[in-house]
Amino acid sequence: MPRAWLLNPPVFCIQIHMSSTKSRLTVPKFQAMKVEGHKITMLTAYDYPTAELLDQAGVEGILVGDTVSEVVQGHANTLPVTLDEIIYHAEMVGRAVQQALLVVDMPFPSNHLGVTRAIESAGRILKETRCQAVKLEGGAEQAEVIAGLVGAGIPVMAHVGLRPQSVHRLGGYKVQRDEQQLLADATAAEAAGAFAVVLECIPAPIAAKITRTVEIPTIGIGAGISCDGQILVVNDLLGISGGFVPRFVKKYADLRTTISGAVTQFRNEVREGTFPADEQTFK
Ligand code: KIV
């Protein structure tokens, strides 16, 4: 090594060191945030550039949700997306995430085919995507599957309350109000070894009670302010989603208007002959 480098290391050495020390949030650190009273932020992501932006903005968790079926693939619900398709999206997201905990949804019905097949599916997700955990919809009736996955070394985030994969049984996307059942689901998920639990569409007082009862972090979506963290579908938060948007969503941007304005301006300038101008033209 040239002597001068010892006194004045070249910039590229520092950069290599910095990038190699970056590490992703681990499951135990994610759990410790509840004890520390540090609110957890999570968003969904389905592609590389979005995941990179969310990660750099400092959210603690990124979920490759089965909502990809609705907001990216254009289906009416979350049922159609397949294991291969979730893995395809999770691979892109996994390449972008440097800091957040990365969780991938188990698509319907991959967690309902017995413990062995659930381990096979979740194992594929972990092996092929750089994710650290899976999420599955279910509480008490999924306890055996959760325990099987955890026993295989696969961290599980449970999901109780409104379970969109059960939309046909529930008869729609309704607020879930059965306090006893909700508490039983969350506590069963915790006892089975889940490291966190999503609470979807639950009255705030019930979510608060669950949050006080379980030691694992609760991540709310339509479950009020008392949850240990909050998650939203990124397309809803950014105002990309068209059509019905649930009441629990807050739109922090209006990208639909921004994107359609930009595209309309491009179309107009091409038609008028003002794009490309001199600045965009090679001479
Ligand atoms: O699939 C998903 O995006 C989800 C979140 C809405 C929690 O399950």
Side-chain angles (χ1 to χ4, degrees), residues 44 46 63 65-67 78 105 135 137 159 198 200 221 231 233:
T44 64
Y46 316 102
L63 170 71
D66 60 0
T67 41
T78 58
D105 246 339
K135 176 170 82 58
E137 290 186 13
H159 181 151
V198 169
E200 178 160 357
I221 175 160
I231 183 165
V233 169

Side-chain angles (χ1 to χ4, degrees), residues 94-110:
R95 283 192 279 274
V97 175
Q98 305 291 326
Q99 307 182 76
L101 180 81
L102 179 56
V103 184
V104 176
D105 246 339
M106 295 197 69
F108 179 81
S110 58

Side-chain angles (χ1 to χ4, degrees), residues 122-187:
R124 264 198 70 196
I125 293 174
L126 253 72
K127 282 164 84 80
E128 297 177 33
T129 71
R130 288 190 82 236
C131 86
Q132 295 143 287
V134 296
K135 176 170 82 58
L136 58 78
E137 290 186 13
E141 85 295 349
Q142 281 285 298
E144 200 186 331
V145 176
I146 295 171
L149 292 171
V150 174
I154 302 171
V156 177
M157 180 176 279
H159 181 151
V160 310
L162 175 60
R163 301 170 197 177
Q165 291 177 5
S166 303
V167 60
H168 298 310
R169 182 171 59 76
L170 297 171
Y173 299 106
K174 299 173 184 161
V175 178
Q176 303 298 299
R177 300 180 183 277
D178 184 342
E179 179 170 338
Q180 229 182 329
Q181 183 63 56
L182 293 165
L183 260 169
D185 279 333
T187 51

